[in-house]
Amino acid sequence: MGGSLYSSPATPRSTGEEISRRAVLTSAGALALSACGPRDAQSQSVPADLPPLKTVAPFRVGSCVQALRLDDPALADLLAREVSQLTPEWEMKMEYIVQPDGSFRFDAPDRIAAFARAHGMGLLGHTLVWYAQAPPAFEQLDETRIRFADAYRNYIHAVAGRYRGQVVGWDVVNEAVAEDGAGWRDSLWARKLGAFEHIALAYRTAREADPQATLLLNDYNLEYMPAKRATFLKLAERLLASGAPLTGLGTQMHVAADIAPGKITQMIHELASLGLPIHVSELDVSLTRSDNKLLSRGELQRRQTAVYAEAAEAFMSLPQRQRFAFTLWGLRDRDSWLKKENAGDAPAPFDDAGRPKAGAAALVEAFRT
Ligand code: 9MR
């Protein structure tokens, strides 16, 4: 079994050792892509012999994945071909791991970890603490049996310890900054353990459980909202000043195709000013979330390509030591979480059939220069 909120691992690190033994901007117009004959409805062409993303990038290129989707051989093949890092899309979160009685299950995240290992890919742990997920087992904790802080630490030890030596990094605290950028999120964790204290405690505990992993602070809308970005950076600085082992910054980048050119570049450079490694952690470029409803589908697709290009070029402009990884929140359109919101969206760099779109070609172009 995988332990529970009520039981700390025998030694913080043993579980992980066991498991590892056992288990297994340019604008789109500047892309100068060569034509390769008719393709899908896209107006932009893609070279027929486009090399895999991971073979051209001088850093890890990642994708999220759900365990059950690994049953789809076409997706498994595409992941194996294109990426060198995997992020579990949701099964390494509390919502999956923590059971109503406080026990833990790890079957699905173990499966993703095994797939990553079998294909020589990095694994990105996502995520230990998230304001959006406070499982009933934590809310109803019997504090006569265990203090809340001990259960919180047990959880982090169990999960980060299990994947010790397997993950390249952890999104330790996800989305810590308030929606409007004014301060930090309210959450069960903040109420029980303190708004800043629960964050610092998560980093210290993750470091106890895994001495090697890059410990990231991950958030979204950092390109759209300078105020949120400033608060994010202040939080990072405060963590560092307090001695908390924060060793990387993640910027999700769930952006829309009509985002103003330059915003992404500015955000990446501001984040990099702290000197920490940067993870583009969840990139997708929505067509249907665009504010500008007058743009044609073709124009949105063209802008989408330009956004992928800007993101990749901005990341490439960082010093090598600050390029942690570049992760796409899904390779194929059909697998994207955004499809649930709007079935007409097509935010990924590969189409439903796994064929590269112009966005994939833009990534390749930027990564290999
Ligand atoms: O894409 C993920 C979706 O499948 C899950 O249902 C959801 C809740 O676990 O999380 C989505 O991923 C989110 C990520 O974990 C954090 N940043 C925002 C992502 C999109 O909502």
Side-chain angles (χ1 to χ4, degrees), residues 129-302:
V129 176
W130 192 8
Y131 80 94
Q133 295 189 357
F138 267 106
E139 280 175 342
Q140 298 152 13
L141 207 62
D142 178 354
E143 293 206 51
T144 60
R145 286 180 62 201
I146 189 167
R147 286 191 319 144
F148 192 93
D150 290 334
Y152 183 81
R153 281 173 44 78
N154 281 352
Y155 178 78
I156 294 173
H157 266 298
V159 181
R162 186 176 188 88
Y163 297 105
R164 172 181 136 150
Q166 295 184 66
V167 296
V168 291
W170 269 105
D171 290 331
V172 176
V173 180
N174 195 41
E175 300 169 5
V177 177
E179 194 68 35
D180 60 1
W184 308 327
R185 297 267 187 193
D186 180 36
S187 66
L188 178 66
W189 323 115
R191 290 192 294 277
K192 289 283 194 177
L193 302 170
F196 178 76
E197 292 75 6
H198 87 276
I199 302 175
L201 179 60
Y203 284 85
R204 290 201 305 271
T205 310
R207 179 53 81 227
E208 287 168 12
D210 187 334
Q212 299 294 334
T214 298
L215 301 182
L216 297 135
L217 182 68
N218 188 47
D219 220 317
Y220 70 98
N221 270 353
L222 303 178
E223 58 296 289
Y224 281 106
M225 298 178 60
K228 188 170 183 184
R229 181 161 77 230
T231 306
F232 178 80
L233 286 170
K234 270 193 206 133
L235 174 57
E237 284 175 321
R238 183 162 168 194
L239 283 166
L240 293 170
S242 78
L246 171 70
T247 55
L249 299 179
T251 173
Q252 297 183 6
M253 297 180 61
H254 294 291
V255 294
D258 67 346
I259 186 171
K263 275 193 194 291
I264 288 173
T265 307
Q266 187 184 353
M267 176 272 291
I268 296 244
H269 287 146
E270 277 186 35
L271 256 50
S273 67
L274 289 195
L276 293 171
I278 303 296
H279 185 201
V280 170
S281 58
E282 305 182 14
L283 176 61
D284 49 28
V285 186
S286 172
L287 299 179
T288 53
R289 284 185 158 193
S290 296
D291 287 331
N292 188 338
K293 302 297 176 203
L294 298 175
L295 297 174
S296 68
R297 180 92 174 173
E299 176 59 15
L300 285 167
Q301 287 169 333
R302 194 193 68 73

Side-chain angles (χ1 to χ4, degrees), residues 14-82:
S14 61
T15 322
E17 284 162 4
E18 245 169 52
I19 195 77
S20 49
R21 278 200 304 275
R22 177 169 27 102
V24 247
L25 222 145
T26 52
S27 69
L31 294 173
L33 304 173
S34 58
C36 64
R39 295 186 54 83
D40 56 21
Q42 294 239 344
S43 54
Q44 305 163 92
S45 57
V46 178
D49 56 350
L50 195 71
L53 295 169
K54 71 176 183 189
T55 63
V56 292
F59 40 77
R60 287 182 306 278
V61 179
S63 173
C64 69
V65 72
Q66 301 184 13
L68 279 181
R69 296 229 171 97
L70 292 172
D71 291 336
D72 172 354
L75 180 63
D77 288 351
L78 186 69
L79 290 167
R81 178 186 139 89
E82 296 291 338

Side-chain angles (χ1 to χ4, degrees), residues 89-90 93 95 126 133 174-175 252 254 282 329 337:
E89 187 170 355
W90 68 279
K93 297 170 182 165
E95 70 176 300
H126 176 81
Q133 295 189 357
N174 195 41
E175 300 169 5
Q252 297 183 6
H254 294 291
E282 305 182 14
W329 211 238
W337 68 293

